Amino acid sequence: MALLRLLAISLLFAVATPVRDIAHDACSSEVKDFQHLNNSSGLHLTLHHPQSPCSPAPLPADLPFSAVLAHDGARVASLAARLAKTPSSRPTLLDESRAGSSSSSSPDDESSLASVPLGPGTSVGVGNYVTRMGLGTPAKSYVMVVDTGSSLTWLQCSPCVVSCHRQSGPVFNPKASSSYTSVSCSAQQCSDLTTATLNPASCSTSNVCIYQASYGDSSFSVGYLSKDTVSFGSTSVPNFYYGCGQDNEGLFGQSAGLIGLARNKLSLLYQLAPSMGYSFSYCLPTSSSSSSGYLSIGSYNPGQYSYTPMASSSLDDSLYFIKMTGIKVAGKPLSVSSSAYSSLPTIIDSGTVITRLPTGVYSALSKAVAGAMKGTPRASAFSILDTCFQGQAARLRVPEVTMAFAGGAALKLAARNLLVDVDSATTCLAFAPARSAAIIGNTQQQTFSVVYDVKNSKIGFAAGGCS
């Protein structure tokens, strides 16, 4: 969509304020010797829970769970909008004349504003895990949100022409990288932005490609499509395409940006695949202070997992769909027909906190869990969570719940995967009814090793992934 020209005005330069990293003796930036990474030659990164004190960009410790649910609901709504291909728009302002066509140039000509219509994306923020990524030459490290529901990787860039949110550490400076270059509007990667961000690309007055990434919780990033060397530890990859954000607004914690792992040619996975392979795996840790997990890109140990095929879907070919076939509570199948599980498409997602199930399946699960815990005092509903108990999940006796998927893969849920503590005295079933799509969220995935083998179109699960 053509950019709308508005009156030329001067823009205030918003510079992100660095904040001090939290340091704990129990915290480590090194990847531990996780059992599922043994004999694996993939690229291994440490992964942190967004509310862990060990996180290099933690969310506020006193963030109420109601806020988590609110942003989780926005993410679910935006995923539903993507599947329904529902258009939406929101104008944002970008000083397009600041983009230079060379590595370090930024024209100082008169500013002009661009009004950019933004469509639905995927909400990020409180539910997403974080890691570190190096960028530029010489490489500097940045804290990044990891998201399987997004394709384009982006981070905040100086001079933050319109706005930058508060982040941990300094903002990336393209002028300080000898390998940085902006991407022209005629490049194929500029055309590819439409599928990567679900928003049309735009063009600056200096012929630099403008990306627009919007998210369901009203967060967004707009900036210049760029190319530079990306690095993780001692491994570096040149000519990596990403977004250099100049207008970044919303709740991203204190991260510098986002790493996209969806099925799209501009995602980090697909750009690294020629040298590392079309697969990645992770273990999502809990929020405990000394707990960490991992993100591994590349080869993995195939014999350790039970697999389910990736399901094909015409709704959105960048998301990861699977088929749920059943749920057992205390060894007994739920009292629903097998067709109830396939009444909605099912997505597995790293950033959704609360798993959404087809209404009939959820009702049966709620009834079965409540029945198995009939000796535990009930508590009032908490927002969308209507099956709640007095106490904390770790101190209650809960039934064994197993989620089964096509091909024989299964998740045997521990108490921490079944219930979520919403305050100091209440815990609730970490499931809710779905409207347009079922979603396997990250509460159920925590401490499991989950592999996305895109080349062979399958997803695997293995218990004890974070140990």
Side-chain angles (χ1 to χ4, degrees):
M1 181 176 181
L3 297 178
L4 301 178
R5 307 298 179 189
L6 301 178
L7 295 175
I9 63 173
S10 295
L11 294 174
L12 296 177
F13 287 64
V15 180
T17 304
V19 295
R20 180 178 58 87
D21 287 350
I22 294 178
H24 293 280
D25 293 340
C27 299
S28 173
S29 61
E30 300 298 322
V31 178
K32 298 189 303 183
D33 186 22
F34 296 104
Q35 61 173 331
H36 292 143
L37 296 182
N38 292 337
N39 301 317
S40 169
S41 60
L43 177 65
H44 308 322
L45 311 175
T46 299
L47 206 56
H48 295 280
H49 189 282
Q51 291 180 280
S52 168
C54 282
S55 170
L59 293 167
D62 59 351
L63 185 73
F65 197 74
S66 57
V68 175
L69 289 179
H71 285 273
D72 200 50
R75 182 182 182 91
V76 170
S78 67
L79 286 171
R82 282 175 61 172
L83 298 182
K85 296 178 171 58
T86 303
S88 68
S89 66
R90 163 225 286 279
T92 186
L93 301 178
L94 177 63
D95 174 8
E96 58 177 11
S97 69
R98 296 285 177 180
S101 57
S102 63
S103 64
S104 60
S105 62
S106 290
D108 293 323
D109 57 340
E110 187 177 34
S111 301
S112 63
L113 296 180
S115 178
V116 182
L118 299 182
T122 306
S123 172
V124 297
V126 299
N128 294 73
Y129 288 72
V130 297
T131 191
R132 287 188 178 274
M133 180 185 83
L135 188 67
T137 304
K140 294 187 177 180
S141 179
Y142 301 92
V143 180
M144 304 286 284
V145 161
V146 174
D147 189 11
T148 59
S150 297
S151 297
L152 181 69
T153 296
W154 63 265
L155 83 169
Q156 302 193 118
C157 291
S158 64
C160 295
V161 170
V162 179
S163 177
C164 279
H165 61 262
R166 191 167 179 250
Q167 76 171 54
S168 176
V171 173
F172 175 68
N173 181 6
K175 291 184 178 182
S177 173
S178 62
S179 51
Y180 173 86
T181 182
S182 55
V183 177
S184 72
C185 301
S186 60
Q188 179 60 46
Q189 289 78 10
C190 188
S191 300
D192 292 340
L193 283 173
T194 301
T195 57
T197 66
L198 305 183
N199 292 301
S202 304
C203 194
S204 78
T205 54
S206 50
N207 195 40
V208 174
C209 183
I210 297 176
Y211 77 89
Q212 312 150 32
S214 55
Y215 303 94
D217 62 354
S218 299
S219 301
F220 64 88
S221 175
V222 178
Y224 308 119
L225 186 62
S226 305
K227 184 171 65 172
D228 208 333
T229 296
V230 66
S231 58
F232 301 94
S234 60
T235 301
S236 61
V237 179
N239 301 318
F240 176 70
Y241 290 89
Y242 66 99
C244 199
Q246 299 294 331
D247 187 5
N248 317 285
E249 302 181 32
L251 180 62
F252 296 97
Q254 297 171 11
S255 63
L258 177 147
I259 292 175
L261 290 173
R263 301 168 72 177
N264 181 275
K265 63 179 67 176
L266 284 182
S267 75
L268 178 74
L269 170 66
Y270 275 59
Q271 291 193 62
L272 298 187
S275 59
M276 297 184 182
Y278 286 88
S279 66
F280 69 94
S281 61
Y282 58 64
C283 181
L284 305 179
T286 64
S287 59
S288 63
S289 60
S290 60
S291 176
S292 65
Y294 67 83
L295 168 65
S296 178
I297 300 174
S299 67
Y300 67 98
N301 298 320
Q304 299 178 342
Y305 296 87
S306 62
Y307 295 95
T308 185
M310 291 183 186
S312 59
S313 175
S314 60
L315 297 173
D316 189 321
D317 58 9
S318 69
L319 298 174
Y320 296 97
F321 291 87
I322 56 178
K323 291 184 178 180
M324 185 166 45
T325 57
I327 297 178
K328 292 182 179 181
V329 177
K332 297 181 180 180
L334 297 183
S335 299
V336 295
S337 65
S338 59
S339 61
Y341 294 98
S342 57
S343 60
L344 293 174
T346 299
I347 302 165
I348 182 169
D349 181 48
S350 67
T352 299
V353 177
I354 302 298
T355 286
R356 267 64 172 186
L357 298 174
T359 301
V361 176
Y362 170 75
S363 297
L365 175 64
S366 172
K367 182 178 180 180
V369 170
M373 297 179 65
K374 59 184 178 181
T376 304
R378 293 292 297 268
S380 299
F382 188 94
S383 183
I384 62 170
L385 307 180
D386 61 12
T387 308
C388 300
F389 304 89
Q390 296 178 26
Q392 299 283 278
R395 299 179 180 179
L396 298 180
R397 178 172 294 181
V398 302
E400 181 180 276
V401 175
T402 302
M403 304 178 69
F405 303 92
L411 289 173
K412 294 182 179 180
L413 307 182
R416 62 176 172 267
N417 306 116
L418 181 66
L419 303 174
V420 60
D421 296 334
V422 300
D423 57 39
S424 60
T426 309
T427 190
C428 299
L429 185 65
F431 294 81
R435 293 185 178 180
S436 57
I439 304 173
I440 309 303
N442 60 36
T443 300
Q444 282 63 45
Q445 298 178 58
Q446 283 181 3
T447 73
F448 286 91
S449 183
V450 183
V451 62
Y452 294 68
D453 188 336
V454 177
K455 179 180 179 180
N456 295 302
S457 194
K458 61 183 181 180
I459 290 177
F461 304 107
C466 291
S467 59

